Amino acid sequence: RIVGWLLDVIATVTSAATERKATATVSATTNSQENDGILEIAVRAAATLKRYLSWVDLRLVTHPNLVNCLLDGMGGADAATVSYNNANTGNDGDDDLGDATAHDDATPGTMLAVECASCLREIVTRGMEEHKKVALLLELKVFGKLCKLSGLGGEGNVNGNDHRLRKLDLITVDGTQIDAVVAAAELVNTAGLELIPGWELQCQISPTSSSTPMVQPVNMLMNQCLELSFSCLAYDDIDVSGAVIDLVSRILVSLEKKESFWNNNIETTNLTRGTLCNSLLSRILSILHLRMKYPTDFQFDYEDEDEAEEEMYRTHLRKLYQRIVRFRPQLVLQFIGSCLSSLSQPLSATSPTEIEVALRLVFHFGEGRRPAPGAKTALRDGPFREIVIALHRSDIASHSHREVLLLYYDLAVRYSLLLKEMPELLSSLLGALTGNRGLQHPHPRVRSRCCYFLLRIVKSVGGKAMRPYVEAVVEGIQSLLFAPASSSCVTSTREVFPIPPNDALYLFETTGILLGTTGLDVDLQQRCATAVLTPHIRSIENILSSPDLTNDVEHYGEQLSVSISAIAQLSKGWQNHPPSEVQTVLAAAVDVCRNVLVALPSSPLVRNRTAVLLQRMMICLGEAILPTMPDFLTTLLSHCTTEDDVLDISQLILQLCIKFKENAVPTMDVSILPFLQKVLSIQVAETVVVPSGKEDSNLNVHNVSTLPPHLTTQQLSIRKHAFACLHHIVAHNVTAALLSERNIGSMPDILKFMNDGAITAPDLVMKKSCTSFFSLLIQQWGDSNTSQGQAVNGFFDFVHNVFVPGMLDCVLSNSFNAKDALHSRVLSEFGNALWFLKQSAHGNDFNTRVVEPLILGRSNGVDVTGFRNASCGKDMESSVKALKEALNKK
């Protein structure tokens, strides 16, 4: 009774305010202020009602009086020309007047419309089954009332001749204050999403007939929903249009999955039966084409908050477009053709907004085509192929707007397969890209993007297609790379604009690809590579000679790091071993980079770029890089202070082991122990906290199991690099580095380190790597043919006394789940280790040092036959599983 009384009071106040507003005269200032006061009370009443609706019985909140009151309230919004000042009524703006108070010019009538829409959304979203939700929407008549308020007929006919009939104008911008229109669009979106599942249910109940009593009213409801959603989508405001994107997307999904149901059940007077689907898609395409256009004052500044919102809105529209392409590619293709044919000629003089949206339709067409890759599939369509060819043959590259130009280049990259087949199109595109419409465009954004586009084009079309243009392109790039970078300069023939250093890296990579993949003579490759690198190396040497080099590490480090990256990018043109003549040029560049590292090792950027360069040189120079690696690694390790440094060095060690195997032993001999020491020191520095006044120079490495979780994560992220490096050393036959005179004394510490990882590391991937480390070492040293017999014997003693007992405890514990995939991999590696141990020269001790004390010692009744008779690692794994199950039963 209390809830019913509250709803009755709120409905009465709201209804009275709506009636007073409808009958009040605008000229009567006193009456207007009095009405505003009443409306503000109504706004508070509706806001209060919204908070209770989800708790009130559904029979009460769907009472016709209340629903009609809320629907009438949505028609009370004022036009955008009406202003409202809170000071007129003494309101200080702090009171809760609803969602619309974010806009100072929103009138009480508009705020009431917003709150009424929010209340209706609360009612519509009440949880229930689909058929009951349809019945609720039929009872509420939300769509029908909104159609009347907005001037849309039941069939969606617009009363366009009399906009005064629209109390909620969804057609004319500023016809109604935007807050109310947004609220109405959100209500349409919510109600539509609730309606479609129930409406689709009719497909299962009555797939071919519309004579069922519930079908025709529901179809009328869907007609109204479509008209409202399309009107909102076409509205010239991103908040209104964006509010119904989810609903339109859901409509497209339904059209795609239940096309025949749509064609057979939705009837309109203007369409023949069975053509509704194409009609709806064409209408949506027209709206998308309209709304995808950027405003005439749009500056394409995506760092600006408003423009970023505009771009995000259009991103959502493009997703709708791509869905239509997937569903009806031929229909979209016809639409694209009509849009392009309607453009004025020449294209270079067309309005930027018109040509940009047309290019967008072509560009994103490939994203929607299936099967993947969509661009390749799209080019199989003859009409679409002709459209792209026509664009290339037009004067679009001469358009004055930079974003149109960039979109055309982006389009050319996406459909670059066509350029490979038609060299004449490639020639004109390269001319535009490398000229004053591209790399020498006055705007820096165009120059920056064109560096990337040129690289993509060269990669896409391949060396054979680029062969006729190599010399000209390389010469042109060289002239741009070494132009004065401080400002534009004027030569005797033209103004040369500088290329930003980071964007110039794309040009270096482009040059390398042109030299290394187009089949040039070796002598020509060497000459061109020398011509590119000589001025570049000279500029590096000039920087190194600066007296302020070490005083401004950040400034010079950034410059030198880019220079090192340029050499690495250039080398990408030779994926396999380049000719010896080119290797000589690259080796000389590596020597210069070593001087850079020695001169400025304190720069993190220099260290990182040097590591990247060395990875590239391992591919290009092969074993010729090995003599220089110890010097590089020594310098890198001496200034290894962060986890990023550890990552860079560990990647170098991994690649050395993988690529050169036993030939990497000399390098690993001088590097692995300092690397491990750095890992442990950085780990301690980042995780150990010493209380004030209790500093101790002898810091011990903490076991990860005793640290807080956040420190455990930090330690493991560092230690995993050491685990991986030691595992790769053993896995790729670089084990001799561990037994060298330099490192053999540290073997006990290394074994303990890896044993801790195998037993205590919470990360199962690390645990598997550490276990595999022991398994591989047992296999390699099992025949006792190594010259370091004493060290090997010590290793097997460690395995028997420490590793095997610890792993058995770990595997047999309740926390180890042998059925889990990652746990199973660890168990598999341990099984291999036991098998190799049994087969080794120390296999005679397997029974006395493993089976009897470690297995039988746990329980006398355990069957150890499987361990004694095992013939492979899999048998050992099965025996451990059987032991675990037997112990669990006991």
Side-chain angles (χ1 to χ4, degrees), residues 39-51:
L39 285 173
E40 288 182 8
I41 296 175
V43 171
R44 292 184 175 91
T48 303
L49 174 63
K50 179 177 64 176
R51 293 178 171 87

Side-chain angles (χ1 to χ4, degrees), residues 202-364:
Q202 302 301 322
C203 178
Q204 301 174 4
I205 298 174
S206 178
T208 58
S209 174
S210 60
S211 60
T212 306
M214 278 284 291
V215 171
Q216 284 192 340
V218 175
N219 288 343
M220 177 64 70
L221 209 62
M222 180 56 70
N223 263 326
Q224 296 168 346
C225 174
L226 289 174
E227 292 303 325
L228 288 168
S229 60
F230 292 160
S231 296
C232 292
L233 185 66
Y235 196 89
D236 191 13
D237 182 90
I238 64 174
D239 292 325
V240 177
S241 181
V244 296
I245 285 179
D246 289 341
L247 173 57
V248 176
S249 178
R250 182 65 179 84
I251 291 172
L252 291 176
V253 172
S254 183
L255 283 170
E256 185 175 356
K257 293 183 177 180
K258 304 180 184 296
E259 178 181 356
S260 60
F261 179 67
W262 280 80
N263 286 331
N264 294 330
N265 285 273
I266 301 295
E267 299 179 2
T268 60
T269 57
N270 299 327
L271 298 174
T272 59
R273 191 176 184 86
T275 62
L276 176 75
C277 186
N278 286 341
S279 174
L280 292 178
L281 292 176
S282 298
R283 185 173 177 185
I284 296 174
L285 281 173
S286 299
I287 295 174
L288 293 179
H289 178 257
L290 176 68
R291 298 300 303 131
M292 284 170 65
K293 295 179 183 179
Y294 286 100
T296 55
D297 59 346
F298 194 75
Q299 299 299 314
F300 296 91
D301 179 11
Y302 302 121
E303 293 183 358
D304 180 81
E305 184 176 351
D306 292 336
E307 297 207 345
E309 290 180 359
E310 291 272 358
E311 181 62 23
M312 182 59 66
Y313 162 71
R314 282 163 181 80
T315 299
H316 294 312
L317 293 182
R318 292 162 194 159
K319 291 179 181 179
L320 296 179
Y321 171 72
Q322 292 161 22
R323 183 175 290 277
I324 299 176
V325 172
R326 284 197 296 271
F327 181 32
R328 280 284 197 277
Q330 298 306 317
L331 178 67
V332 176
L333 200 53
Q334 295 175 8
F335 184 80
I336 293 175
S338 63
C339 290
L340 288 171
S341 62
S342 65
L343 296 175
S344 60
Q345 297 293 330
L347 294 183
S348 60
T350 307
S351 166
T353 57
E354 296 294 333
I355 188 62
E356 196 277 341
V357 72
L359 290 177
R360 282 284 172 196
L361 296 178
V362 179
F363 178 76
H364 293 289

Side-chain angles (χ1 to χ4, degrees), residues 165 267 321 407 516 750 755 814:
L165 297 177
E267 299 179 2
Y321 171 72
L407 182 55
I750 292 175
N755 182 72
N814 293 331

Side-chain angles (χ1 to χ4, degrees), residues 466-475 478 511-512 514-533 570 574 579 581-582 585:
M466 287 298 302
R467 178 62 186 88
Y469 315 104
V470 172
E471 289 85 348
V473 173
V474 170
E475 182 180 354
Q478 185 179 356
T511 302
L514 290 174
L515 296 180
T517 64
T518 54
L520 295 178
D521 294 337
V522 174
D523 291 341
L524 184 56
Q525 290 185 45
Q526 181 186 22
R527 287 199 304 271
C528 290
T530 303
V532 172
L533 285 178
L570 180 70
W574 296 275
E581 293 82 354
V582 176
V585 177

Side-chain angles (χ1 to χ4, degrees), residues 384-394 418 422 425:
F384 183 78
R385 186 184 181 92
E386 292 301 320
I387 287 174
V388 179
I389 292 174
L391 285 174
H392 280 301
R393 288 176 174 169
S394 70
L418 189 64
M422 303 184 69
L425 301 180

Side-chain angles (χ1 to χ4, degrees), residues 62 109-110 150 456 512 554 706 744 790 813 817 823 845 860:
T62 57
T110 298
S150 58
R456 287 289 308 277
E554 183 176 355
T706 63
I744 193 170
Q790 184 177 357
S813 67
N817 181 11
H823 281 93
D845 299 334
N860 292 329

